[in-house]
Amino acid sequence: MKKYILDLQVVEVSRPHERYVLLKLTDPNGPLPEMMPGQFAQLRVDGSATTFLRRPISIHYMDSTLNQIWFLVQIVGDGTRQLATLQPGDTLNVVLPLGNGFTMPHSVDDRILLVGGGVGCAPLLYMGKAMAEMGCRPTFLIGARTQKDLLQLDLFAQYGDVYVTTEDGSYGEKGFVTQHSLLTGSTKFTRISTCGPKPMMMAVARYAASTATPCEVSLENKMACGVGACLCCVEDTQHGHQCVCTDGPVFPIEELKW
């Protein structure tokens, strides 16, 4: 898929949580390129004396009618703090779309489970939207530490059925996502796609293997270039060392040495 370097215009900035900023951008020069759920972009950080590399951010949502792309950015360092200072009307330089996305349903009858934790929930919203447009209704299973860490449940509910766990039991079922009653009942899924903290994804992968359910995970290895040149995101797989930014970020679990 062709890659683009674009100067996008910031349309809206919001703070759904003290540790997150939601950026909505558009291309004032024409339609945004086609992008697949699970792909990501490299965002240039301007105005920071300590940030020299672009930041890899997953594609959170695409709206072709409004010609908008959304990025949900977790604020963890100088680079993301600088991105959080953007205002409507500002310009953000991005490289996209990068990497390989999630496997889409083969049939409207497929039962797809999308499991997310933390900022890993971000790419699952666009996945849910794309599935809904195909006539397939996904099931979302979202985990967080507490109720205040849950984001955008109303948006996920527009595209599928939403189940939630929180570690302290303040919302949904208490525990981790793999402890939810949805996974211990009789419901069988055609495929599981997951993104989030590595321990969570490993637990989901073990559950999938135990039930012989095809599963893919979106890795969040540190990336610098996004195009396979710097080798800092290399993952040791069953096929040897592979760059997560180009061979992933989405991998079937049987290809990983977990």
Side-chain angles (χ1 to χ4, degrees):
M1 185 176 286
K2 184 177 179 180
K3 301 173 179 61
Y4 299 83
I5 302 176
L6 300 174
D7 285 323
L8 300 183
Q9 186 177 68
V10 180
V11 175
E12 182 180 327
V13 181
S14 60
R15 295 289 292 267
H17 187 281
E18 60 184 8
R19 292 186 288 109
Y20 293 88
V21 61
L22 176 61
L23 303 175
K24 298 182 181 182
L25 306 106
T26 190
D27 186 349
N29 299 312
L32 289 162
E34 179 183 358
M35 289 169 248
M36 298 299 295
Q39 291 186 300
F40 68 99
Q42 290 281 96
L43 279 55
R44 192 177 73 194
V45 180
D46 297 324
S48 172
T50 61
T51 306
F52 306 101
L53 301 173
R54 292 175 182 264
R55 291 297 182 260
I57 306 294
S58 62
I59 296 168
H60 181 37
Y61 189 79
M62 285 282 298
D63 189 322
S64 57
T65 302
L66 297 176
N67 198 37
Q68 285 187 7
I69 182 171
W70 298 5
F71 295 107
L72 182 65
V73 181
Q74 185 177 15
I75 304 169
V76 294
D78 290 343
T80 49
R81 276 194 291 270
Q82 187 64 29
L83 290 173
T85 66
L86 288 168
Q87 298 295 320
D90 288 347
T91 297
L92 179 63
N93 184 270
V94 304
V95 181
L96 51 70
L98 299 172
N100 297 306
F102 292 112
T103 300
M104 298 302 293
H106 300 298
S107 164
V108 295
D109 297 321
D110 283 357
R111 295 184 57 83
I112 309 296
L113 177 64
L114 305 179
V115 185
V119 75
C121 293
L124 302 184
L125 181 63
Y126 184 33
M127 177 67 166
K129 177 179 182 288
M131 288 179 59
E133 290 173 346
M134 296 175 58
C136 185
R137 186 172 178 85
T139 299
F140 297 100
L141 177 55
I142 296 173
R145 291 183 178 178
T146 69
Q147 181 177 2
K148 71 177 184 178
D149 297 313
L150 294 165
L151 304 177
Q152 303 175 315
L153 295 184
D154 56 332
L155 295 182
F156 287 102
Q158 292 180 16
Y159 304 114
D161 302 313
V162 180
Y163 297 84
V164 175
T165 64
T166 50
E167 293 179 25
D168 65 353
S170 54
Y171 192 90
E173 294 188 14
K174 184 176 182 179
F176 302 117
V177 289
T178 49
Q179 298 171 321
H180 196 283
S181 58
L182 177 69
L183 302 186
T184 59
S186 58
T187 303
K188 303 298 181 183
F189 293 98
T190 307
R191 178 180 300 277
I192 301 173
S193 298
T194 182
C195 184
K198 186 174 181 178
M200 184 207 79
M201 291 195 294
M202 293 180 71
V204 172
R206 287 193 295 269
Y207 165 81
S210 71
T211 58
T213 306
C215 179
E216 54 190 9
V217 302
S218 180
L219 301 186
E220 297 182 320
N221 296 27
K222 290 184 178 180
M223 301 179 192
C225 71
V227 293
C230 68
L231 305 181
C232 77
C233 66
V234 164
E235 178 79 13
D236 187 15
T237 75
Q238 300 293 349
H239 303 294
H241 291 89
Q242 293 187 306
C243 289
V244 170
C245 65
T246 53
D247 298 306
V250 178
F251 290 89
I253 58 173
E254 59 268 20
E255 293 187 5
L256 300 176
K257 293 185 175 180
W258 284 3

